[in-house]
Amino acid sequence: PITPGELLCLGSSLALSGLFYYLYRRKARVVARIQEAPKLQVDDNLPALVSAAEGRCLPYVALEGIVLPAQAALTSHYHEGLQGVIQKLLLKEHRLIWNSLARSW
């Protein structure tokens, strides 16, 4: 005979396994789409490709080409000769609310 506690443990184990498998499959599809992304060169034809695309947006593409920094290129502290640039910097400030119960912001 199976006790109700064992049934509860079995059911919760199956539910969690199903949830994690669903999340795994969803992320695996995203990774597959990224790996199959077309590789485009940064050249004069790129604006025409973007404007001709549906919604003026190219989802999951890999751009290859030379990028020039606006000011100075970032250099790696760990690998000699490795440089990079930042495409966009987003600063998001969160609104602070006083919590009188915890006495903190």
Side-chain angles (χ1 to χ4, degrees):
I2 299 175
T3 64
E6 290 173 338
L7 283 176
L8 180 67
C9 289
L10 178 65
S12 62
S13 174
L14 287 174
L16 284 174
S17 295
L19 173 69
F20 290 136
Y21 182 71
Y22 167 74
L23 293 173
Y24 165 76
R25 293 297 302 158
R26 197 170 79 177
K27 296 299 178 184
R29 276 182 270 158
V30 171
V31 168
R33 284 185 63 195
I34 291 173
Q35 288 177 343
E36 295 169 357
K39 294 180 180 166
L40 303 175
Q41 295 292 327
V42 177
D43 56 8
D44 295 334
N45 298 331
L46 187 60
L49 284 172
V50 172
S51 62
E54 180 183 336
R56 298 179 56 106
C57 179
L58 297 173
Y60 296 124
V61 297
L63 294 176
E64 296 177 340
I66 297 174
V67 179
L68 299 175
Q71 294 175 354
L74 302 172
T75 57
S76 173
H77 296 289
Y78 304 107
H79 300 284
E80 247 179 78
L82 189 63
Q83 294 184 337
V85 295
I86 296 177
Q87 176 188 2
K88 190 177 198 180
L89 181 63
L90 176 67
L91 178 64
K92 183 176 181 181
E93 294 184 20
H94 297 281
R95 186 173 146 206
L96 296 176
I97 299 174
W98 175 254
N99 185 348
S100 60
L101 184 62
R103 296 188 180 266
S104 66
W105 287 99

